Every structure is written in structure tokens, then in C-alpha cells.
Amino acid sequence: LPSSVLDIIVSDSTYNDIYISKEDKINAIFRTRGYPFNIPVTISFAGKTVNTFLATRTNSSIITLDNEVIPIATITSFQIKKAHQS
């Protein structure tokens, strides 16, 4: 795979065991889930990992319920968590 494509395993049951790029995964969440507000996720970026909830996105960033603006280009891992996971 090209080095520009970050492949990740989607942990959401809808896409279980499928490898897709982070951009495709983020786009899929915001396209196929209706209103994506409050979806629990784990995001790794800029040397840290946060467990948070999605609020919205812009063309270049994801904004969490904690009001953290995360540039998509800095994301190294993005996983949807099941509601009961912590």
C-alpha cells in the first residue's frame, strides 16, 4: 500500500475486520450513521491517545465533545468503540 494511506482495522461491527484508510473511515461515519454526534471513539494523534465522543467535523479536523480540535492529518489511529467499552 502507498505510504500516504494509513490502514486501520475498523472495530465497529458494521465494518468488522475491514482495512480502510482513516479518511475513508471518518467519511463513512459522517455519511452512513445519520447524525454522528456522541459516537464513542478512541483517537491517537500527536503522540497521545484520547477516548472521547465525536461532535462534528470540518474539512480538515474532527471536533470532539470535549471541544478538542484534532487535525485529521495528525490522526494515526481512529477506532469506533462500542457503547459499553471504556
Side-chain angles (χ1 to χ4, degrees):
L1 292 173
S3 60
S4 63
V5 177
L6 175 65
D7 289 314
I8 51 182
I9 298 174
V10 181
S11 63
D12 183 43
S13 60
T14 306
Y15 303 102
N16 198 20
D17 297 324
I18 298 174
Y19 291 86
I20 61 173
S21 72
K22 67 179 176 183
E23 291 86 0
D24 287 343
K25 185 177 192 179
I26 291 166
N27 288 336
I29 291 168
F30 284 89
R31 266 192 242 131
T32 62
R33 291 184 167 265
Y35 192 61
F37 185 77
N38 209 24
I39 294 174
V41 293
T42 299
I43 304 173
S44 296
F45 65 100
K48 66 179 182 176
T49 299
V50 294
N51 292 303
T52 188
F53 297 87
L54 295 180
T56 191
R57 74 168 284 182
T58 66
N59 285 336
S60 61
S61 300
I62 290 176
I63 302 169
T64 70
L65 283 183
D66 304 322
N67 252 353
E68 186 159 13
V69 178
I70 303 170
I72 293 171
T74 67
I75 296 172
T76 56
S77 175
F78 184 89
Q79 294 184 333
I80 301 166
K81 296 179 2 179
K82 296 189 188 303
H84 65 280
Q85 290 180 328
S86 55

